[in-house]
Amino acid sequence: EVRLVESGGGLVQPGGSLRLSCVASGFTFNDHYMDWVRQAPGKGLEWVGRIRNKADSYTTEYAASVRGRFTISRDDSDNSLYLQMNSLKTEDTAVYYCIRGLNGNDKNWFDPRGQGTLVTVSS
Amino acid sequence: DIQMTQSPSTLSASVGDRVTITCRASQSISSWLAWYQQKPGKAPKLLIYKASSLERGVPSRFSGSGSGTEFTLTISSLQPDDFATYYCQHYDSYPLTFGGGTKMEIK
């Protein structure tokens, strides 16, 4: 069974940092592109960013709203995905979902399996 | 950036109804479109990918169609479990973007 378990969310002050983690199981993690998607309270879904697999050099893409502040990384030896969030703003408050990409290239659709982790940015 | 516009934003329907949600892209995305269902407090669930391919395990009452800039999600006979919010999403180019969502309500 495919599982994605996010952790690391919590309350942080504006300007602070937080690191989210996601542990994957039930599939060959290192084959897949992985994404982060977020959802502000009562709002729609917003793509945050993507990290490609080793075959595609672990390169990354980001939404403009987080570029330069957020960094996505992965550790294939641990089946883990990370989201380092710096210079946090109140508008970053959201549930963050770790998502497996399906199709193995940039034309990936999402296979959401995690429960998400809530990040609250507030003073 | 490619903008995704869903309509309607809210849809009131009854069990057994045939319902259609529309998603329009601001430029052509070929068939690089997915549909998701989300229930309160839960992660989204993949329903349709490549505009019309049904994800394994999703009931056949769900179907998708379209290409280019106009797409539809149809539920042929609405079931109680289908009352949820539906999102379209393109994956043609970066940034990936979602439609604003369609909330399916019980009439």
Side-chain angles (χ1 to χ4, degrees):
Chain A
E1 178 194 2
V2 172
R3 289 194 73 203
L4 296 168
V5 180
E6 302 97 336
S7 62
L11 175 63
V12 60
Q13 292 188 338
S17 298
L18 208 57
R19 188 194 197 205
L20 306 185
S21 301
C22 169
V23 177
S25 59
F27 64 100
T28 306
F29 179 77
N30 56 18
D31 283 348
H32 289 261
Y33 289 24
M34 297 295 296
D35 293 75
W36 288 96
V37 167
R38 68 184 181 183
Q39 187 168 35
K43 302 297 184 183
L45 299 165
E46 179 188 16
W47 174 75
V48 171
R50 164 171 289 173
I51 186 166
R52 298 179 178 89
N53 55 19
K54 182 179 180 180
D56 290 314
S57 305
Y58 298 128
T59 51
T60 54
E61 304 285 346
Y62 296 97
S65 58
V66 306
R67 193 177 298 125
R69 299 188 299 123
F70 289 11
T71 302
I72 299 174
S73 60
R74 62 191 294 167
D75 182 344
D76 289 351
S77 67
D78 266 348
N79 286 356
S80 294
L81 177 72
Y82 303 101
L83 179 65
Q84 177 67 44
M85 304 184 294
N86 298 331
S87 303
L88 281 161
K89 305 176 181 180
T90 55
E91 52 263 42
D92 295 319
T93 294
V95 173
Y96 285 73
Y97 294 102
C98 158
I99 293 188
R100 176 176 77 145
L102 296 178
N103 206 28
N105 55 42
D106 280 298
K107 304 300 190 194
N108 266 314
W109 54 94
F110 295 148
D111 180 28
R113 298 282 183 152
Q115 81 289 351
T117 188
L118 175 62
V119 173
T120 303
V121 184
S122 175
S123 54
Chain B
D1 298 3
I2 298 174
Q3 311 302 320
M4 306 301 294
T5 304
Q6 272 183 251
S7 60
S9 55
T10 305
L11 182 52
S12 296
S14 302
V15 173
D17 284 353
R18 179 184 180 88
V19 297
T20 298
I21 300 169
T22 298
C23 180
R24 289 186 174 88
S26 60
Q27 63 190 72
S28 178
I29 57 170
S30 184
S31 294
W32 303 120
L33 183 103
W35 290 97
Y36 304 88
Q37 176 194 67
Q38 189 179 33
K39 296 183 179 179
K42 301 292 188 183
K45 174 188 172 184
L46 175 66
L47 299 175
I48 301 281
Y49 61 94
K50 271 195 265 188
S52 60
S53 296
L54 190 68
E55 169 68 352
R56 190 182 310 174
V58 173
S60 58
R61 63 181 180 272
F62 291 91
S63 64
S65 66
S67 66
T69 61
E70 185 145 343
F71 302 85
T72 59
L73 173 71
T74 299
I75 308 173
S76 60
S77 177
L78 204 59
Q79 298 302 300
D81 191 50
D82 301 337
F83 291 96
T85 300
Y86 294 84
Y87 294 94
C88 62
Q89 177 239 333
H90 88 83
Y91 48 97
D92 176 76
S93 59
Y94 297 103
L96 312 179
T97 55
F98 290 87
T102 296
K103 185 175 182 180
M104 192 83 65
E105 296 183 335
I106 301 174
K107 184 185 284 185

